[in-house]
Amino acid sequence: SIASMIVSTRNARCLMAEYYPNESEKHRKHLSPPINSLASTSKLIMNRLDTNVGKALGKVKKMESNRTASVLISSSDVDLLREKVSELVKTTIAYKDAIKATCCSSNTNSTKAAGLTLVETRLAALAACDEFYYRCYYACFFFGSANQADLTSLVPHPPTYFTCP
């Protein structure tokens, strides 16, 4: 359902806001954690990102295969969701690669470059999460169906979506 895709995407977005402590002190001075973030291992963040982004991708693929059975959103919205989830997968992979590069970097100059790449890919991945959320949000609010009232009560409005626990 759209609500479960939004939950998975929101969970991925919150994971991207977390940071991982580097093993050596010299790396820490170049990468400050985001405000109000939680410390997690890079492996844990990457595994959970795989899980949450994979859930969203799986739901979109299921919607694609059951286009005629889906009465909640239009066929064109399913196509747009597929496009947005593909971008989310691509940017999440780039973000995970940046995490790996930052963890493995030992040279000070390459650490700075890896840190910059990490920030850029994190922002791109967060933006992809937001694009996917808005596509889901508009799909369920602007496609008329008999079940729309039930669906809209499950979908968080933007102020709720953008607050991480």
Side-chain angles (χ1 to χ4, degrees):
S1 76
I2 289 181
S4 64
M5 287 189 296
I6 289 176
V7 168
S8 295
T9 306
R10 183 174 182 269
N11 289 344
R13 189 179 197 284
C14 290
L15 282 166
M16 290 171 194
E18 291 184 17
Y19 82 103
Y20 54 93
N22 287 313
E23 290 75 27
S24 97
E25 286 297 319
K26 69 179 182 176
H27 294 283
R28 288 186 192 202
K29 68 180 181 181
H30 298 296
L31 295 173
S32 298
I35 296 172
N36 296 327
S37 63
L38 303 171
S40 297
T41 64
S42 59
K43 183 175 180 164
L44 180 67
I45 289 174
M46 290 190 284
N47 287 343
R48 288 186 178 165
L49 280 174
D50 286 342
T51 300
N52 287 294
V53 173
K55 284 180 183 178
L57 177 62
K59 296 286 184 183
V60 171
K61 284 185 175 183
K62 187 175 179 181
M63 289 176 107
E64 280 184 316
S65 65
N66 296 330
R67 281 180 195 263
T68 55
S70 176
V71 294
L72 294 179
I73 65 171
S74 69
S75 181
S76 61
D77 280 330
V78 173
D79 292 335
L80 289 170
L81 283 174
R82 176 63 177 174
E83 178 185 316
K84 298 301 180 191
V85 81
S86 296
E87 182 65 21
L88 176 58
V89 168
K90 186 177 100 179
T91 57
T92 301
I93 290 170
Y95 178 57
K96 287 172 43 183
D97 290 344
I99 289 173
K100 290 176 193 171
T102 305
C103 289
C104 301
S105 181
S106 60
N107 182 337
T108 304
N109 288 335
S110 62
T111 302
K112 288 180 183 179
L116 181 60
T117 302
L118 179 68
V119 171
E120 289 173 347
T121 57
R122 174 184 282 158
L123 291 175
L126 286 168
C129 285
D130 297 346
E131 288 175 8
F132 184 75
Y133 160 74
Y134 275 116
R135 185 70 260 155
C136 291
Y137 183 80
Y138 289 122
C140 58
F141 279 97
F142 294 108
F143 182 73
S145 80
N147 298 328
Q148 185 174 2
D150 296 335
L151 184 62
T152 56
S153 66
L154 297 174
V155 176
H157 294 289
T160 306
Y161 171 79
F162 287 108
T163 58
C164 286

